[in-house]
Amino acid sequence: MSVTLTTMTTKVRRRLADKTTRRDGTSISNPFYPDADITAAVNDCVRERQPDIIAQDKTFYLKTPASDYIGITNAVAASGLIIANEQYNRPTDFKDFVKLVRSDLPGYPVVKKVKHDEQEALKISGAWLFYGFYATYPENVTPTHETCAVVSGVTSNAKTNRLRILPAPASTSYTYRLWYQRQPTEVSSGTHEIDIPDEWQEVIALDAALYLVGTTNESVARLLSSQRDLALANRAKEQGNRDAGPVIFREARI
């Protein structure tokens, strides 16, 4: 059962004692916390709690289907310091790298991820001496020496992060599949479902309430904080019952 933004807004208001209806049943048109503020708080808190949710369930934000790349065809055009066929744009909802595999080869061998400066060092030290041979006869050389790295740059005054594959794919027969953790989907309409597992509803509701009340009512903030800590303890207990090892959850912003 997923929770909608309307339901989550009601949960947050209940924890803040921010009523929208008087005792006589008439509506309060201007509650203390506007819907827009609660929506922004919920979206912020989901983003901040994503690492904790992934720690408990690595599959929830795992992008499915994964993103596929065709060597050369999907490469970023050569320009300045960008070398032809090496760099590939990451998906727009990319959050964290999981793995890159060669989808054109049996067994989908993994392309090892390294730091960008390590990639350069390997290239300079002559790791690609057999690059020409590999490009012509890929079936005779194992692909394990291929590496990928995340490289950053600035395009039109905006920072870009791309995947760089070395040696660069030699033909369009080289295909790759990227597995990654996606960004949470933000909500804006009451019917939109919050992008969290159901068991995290209480934590997000308390996080959002803390976010909103933290600078206005210290006593309520302390109460909500203790309730949030109890909800987090319950999530950690569930994790232990899954026999997946201990998990430490971070404090959320107040």
Side-chain angles (χ1 to χ4, degrees), residues 59-72:
T59 64
F60 188 82
Y61 291 108
L62 186 65
K63 180 70 173 186
T64 53
S67 289
D68 291 324
Y69 294 88
I70 300 174
I72 299 178

Side-chain angles (χ1 to χ4, degrees), residues 97-141:
F97 181 95
V98 175
K99 67 177 178 180
L100 182 71
V101 302
R102 281 285 299 273
S103 55
D104 59 315
L105 296 176
Y108 283 28
V110 174
V111 178
K112 183 180 179 181
K113 181 177 180 289
V114 299
K115 295 180 180 179
H116 68 89
D117 54 343
E118 292 178 1
Q119 240 191 352
E120 292 290 355
L122 287 170
K123 184 175 182 179
I124 293 172
S125 65
W128 317 134
L129 288 176
F130 294 98
Y131 172 63
F133 177 83
Y134 176 65
T136 307
Y137 307 103
E139 69 278 7
N140 293 324
V141 181

